[in-house]
Amino acid sequence: MNFVAKALVIVASLFLFSCKEKVFTPQSERTVSVQGRGEVLLEPDSVSIIFSVSSESWDVNVATKDAATRMTAVQAALKDNGIEEKYISIFDYSIHQEYDYTVDKRRYRNYIVNNKIRVQINDITAAGNIIDVAIKAGANELSDLTYNINNDQEAVKQARLLAIKQAEDTAQMLAGATGAQLGKILTIREYSNNQPYIETKRTVAASFASANDSTPLATGIKTVSVSVEAVWELQ
């Protein structure tokens, strides 16, 4: 047998050995995959409110001037009642003319000027009074009120730990039910790109009525929720 033939025999032998390894020694890893969810309830510590000043007139200059005057008064009233300027922002301003369609033409009506302002209130007990102050100063619409948690990082950490603990307990139960033991954890994944899901539950109410009978509000409870999926080895 010449050198080339010997080389071919060696290569063929290595190929057959490799195939034998892949075919007759497959990985037979036993695992259990479970999900866990952790929730932490928090009371909101701030509230964001969007007020609007809407003015209407056939003369667009009259409408814009009236809206500007009232919005200036609203901002001043908010500052006078303890809201810092950095927590006040005007984020939307629009002018449009209303019209109706008649049989043969479009009939124009008044101009509408809308100016929206967002206010963050870090003392929730003052929210009712701030609403009254803004309305008395000239705001004529409240389009959004949202309770927030300024710092929820500790709650997120607790929710993660609870989610992992629930997943581990479930895995232990499933393993024990099948006569196996839980081995090492192989993978773990958190849902929602590591962002907690937050919802408002209107289960706890707080009335902020004062001597001046300010607008009462119900804060509710925030739920910070984290979900995980984990895989454990079975022994």
Side-chain angles (χ1 to χ4, degrees), residues 114-160:
N114 283 303
N115 198 353
K116 292 185 178 181
I117 184 171
R118 180 183 286 109
V119 182
Q120 179 177 323
I121 305 170
N122 294 317
D123 178 7
I124 291 184
T125 61
N129 180 62
I130 293 299
I131 291 174
D132 297 336
V133 165
I135 292 174
K136 290 178 182 178
N140 49 13
E141 182 180 347
L142 192 159
S143 57
D144 184 77
L145 187 151
T146 305
Y147 292 102
N148 304 301
I149 301 171
N150 288 327
N151 187 359
D152 62 356
Q153 293 305 305
E154 189 60 36
V156 172
K157 292 179 182 178
Q158 294 178 20
R160 285 194 179 107

Side-chain angles (χ1 to χ4, degrees), residues 43 124-125 147 204-209 215-220:
E43 291 187 8
I124 291 184
T125 61
Y147 292 102
V204 178
S207 177
F208 301 127
T215 300
L217 299 176
T219 63

Side-chain angles (χ1 to χ4, degrees), residues 147-202:
Y147 292 102
N148 304 301
I149 301 171
N150 288 327
N151 187 359
D152 62 356
Q153 293 305 305
E154 189 60 36
V156 172
K157 292 179 182 178
Q158 294 178 20
R160 285 194 179 107
L161 292 175
L162 291 172
I164 295 171
K165 182 65 168 59
Q166 185 188 76
E168 184 177 12
D169 289 345
T170 302
Q172 289 278 12
M173 181 184 66
L174 293 175
T178 58
Q181 292 184 347
L182 206 61
K184 64 182 179 180
I185 188 169
L186 300 177
T187 63
I188 186 167
R189 182 169 69 91
E190 182 177 335
Y191 291 129
S192 303
N193 297 319
N194 297 325
Q195 295 299 320
Y197 172 70
I198 301 179
E199 64 179 11
T200 299
K201 294 183 178 179
R202 299 286 179 174

Side-chain angles (χ1 to χ4, degrees), residues 45-46 82 109 158 188 221:
D45 54 16
S46 68
R109 299 173 59 190
Q158 294 178 20
I188 186 167
I221 291 293

Side-chain angles (χ1 to χ4, degrees), residues 56-60 95-112:
E56 179 177 352
S57 175
W58 176 253
D59 188 335
V60 66
I95 302 173
H96 72 275
Q97 188 174 20
E98 294 189 321
Y99 56 84
D100 295 322
Y101 281 107
T102 60
V103 177
D104 56 348
K105 64 179 180 179
R106 179 186 294 182
R107 180 182 177 186
Y108 288 95
R109 299 173 59 190
N110 286 344
Y111 284 95
I112 306 294

